[in-house]
Amino acid sequence: MTTAGDIMHRGAQWIPKHETLDRAAQLMRQLDVGALPIGDESERLCGILTDRDIVIGCVAMGHDPAKVTAGEMAKGTPRWIDSGADVDEVLREMQGHQIRRLPVIENKRLVGMISEADLATHLNDDQLAGWVESVYAKN
């Protein structure tokens, strides 16, 4: 059985909810990623911040990314998966919520992220096609 832990990218890092979006953008550049999980003081998942969130939700709205925090951008219920979850569960979670990145949690701690690139590397063609169709479908 292939698990979330098998296909995830290890070494994902949190951005604390009190950090500003300019700092988040710098960290994304440094890590060469397009998204960061947002954590609270107890390192619990509050949401995920994407590069698109910074551009569309902050800069394009005329706000200063040096004054807006990651926590202010966190909206909705954050989605995650346990590292021991079967890859079919991963796909159901991502497809059901039309998300392209999924934090992986083990013992209540962030241990990795699953992204489109991880799926492309580990799924067969039929699984990948189904995922793409459902995640990119317009509602």
Side-chain angles (χ1 to χ4, degrees):
M1 168 178 88
T2 303
T3 67
D6 296 329
I7 65 173
M8 72 181 181
H9 174 82
R10 294 196 175 276
Q13 291 188 24
W14 295 101
I15 186 82
K17 71 178 188 176
H18 67 270
E19 280 289 355
T20 58
L21 298 185
D22 63 337
R23 176 64 189 122
Q26 293 164 1
L27 186 56
M28 286 180 189
R29 182 187 64 216
Q30 176 187 340
L31 298 172
D32 193 27
V33 298
L36 293 169
I38 303 169
D40 67 11
E41 298 80 14
S42 302
E43 292 190 356
R44 288 181 300 181
L45 185 65
C46 299
I48 294 180
L49 179 67
T50 67
D51 48 7
R52 188 176 198 285
D53 293 333
I54 296 170
V55 173
I56 303 299
C58 179
V59 176
M61 300 297 289
H63 302 295
D64 182 353
K67 295 182 179 170
V68 178
T69 66
E72 291 174 84
M73 299 299 290
K75 294 176 179 60
T77 303
R79 309 308 309 178
W80 57 273
I81 196 92
D82 186 84
S83 65
D86 181 83
V87 71
D88 290 332
E89 291 177 63
V90 170
L91 294 175
R92 277 193 299 276
E93 183 69 21
M94 294 176 86
Q95 289 169 327
H97 298 282
Q98 291 189 304
I99 55 177
R100 293 178 267 172
R101 298 168 181 102
L102 187 63
V104 180
I105 306 294
E106 187 175 286
N107 298 321
K108 299 183 181 181
R109 293 278 189 234
L110 177 72
V111 293
M113 288 279 279
I114 297 173
S115 69
E116 295 167 287
D118 299 315
L119 295 178
T121 303
H122 292 91
L123 298 181
N124 66 43
D125 290 344
D126 291 337
Q127 287 174 310
L128 188 58
W131 180 84
V132 168
E133 184 177 325
S134 63
V135 169
Y136 285 96
K138 301 245 185 214
N139 287 334

